[in-house]
Amino acid sequence: MDFNILVGITVWTLVGAVLLFVLMFVDSLFTKYRDFEEVKNGNMAVTSRMIMKLFAQGYILSSSISTSNNLLEAIVVSVVSFIILLVIEHLVHYLLRIVAKFDLEAGTQQGKLGYGLFSGALHIVGALIISSCL
């Protein structure tokens, strides 16, 4: 392994970490509650959802890095994938609320762990589907 590979790994990892932080922050703006406050207060449902969301975004980023020829392409693919996942998440949450009277966001905010796990699982499944398209 030469020096250029080590520098590349470092740069891609740092950019990936910053991108994941930004995406998680943007995601928190779309919830009706304050994600980071809920985590600090010990809400395990919100914490579980955030961890699963982080894993999902990390998996998408990993897939985009492994299939991209340059860093900018990987970032663009990850951001577009994030937007797709965000839109699908809101659509599925809306349909579950209307059709099944199952409000994932309210249940997660109330600390119902099953709600947070269900919501987080949707992120992981979405990430697997999106990544298979890359």
Side-chain angles (χ1 to χ4, degrees):
M1 189 175 299
D2 67 5
F3 182 73
N4 289 335
I5 292 174
L6 293 175
V7 170
I9 291 170
T10 303
V11 170
W12 283 67
T13 301
L14 289 174
V15 170
V18 169
L19 180 62
L20 286 176
F21 176 80
V22 169
L23 293 178
M24 293 303 292
F25 177 76
V26 170
D27 179 68
S28 73
L29 299 175
F30 286 91
T31 58
K32 294 178 182 172
Y33 49 87
R34 298 184 185 275
D35 285 350
F36 296 109
E37 286 298 317
E38 292 290 335
V39 170
K40 284 194 276 186
N41 291 334
N43 186 329
M44 288 305 295
V46 173
T47 303
S48 298
R49 178 197 171 273
M50 283 190 70
I51 290 169
M52 294 171 87
K53 175 76 175 187
L54 180 62
F55 176 82
Q57 290 302 325
Y59 188 77
I60 290 170
L61 181 60
S62 170
S63 297
S64 68
I65 287 172
S66 67
T67 59
S68 297
N69 293 323
N70 63 60
L71 185 57
L72 183 60
E73 180 184 0
I75 291 170
V76 169
V77 168
S78 294
V79 169
V80 169
S81 298
F82 168 78
I83 292 168
I84 292 169
L85 196 55
L86 188 66
V87 169
I88 291 172
E89 173 194 12
H90 285 282
L91 179 63
V92 169
H93 281 215
Y94 174 76
L95 290 173
L96 285 172
R97 196 170 45 251
I98 299 302
V99 175
K101 308 293 186 236
F102 187 52
D103 191 341
L104 284 175
E105 193 160 3
T108 301
Q109 182 181 11
Q110 294 166 4
K112 296 178 180 177
L113 186 56
Y115 283 64
L117 292 172
F118 191 97
S119 184
L122 292 173
H123 292 296
I124 292 173
V125 169
L128 291 171
I129 293 168
I130 290 168
S131 293
S132 72
C133 299
L134 301 179

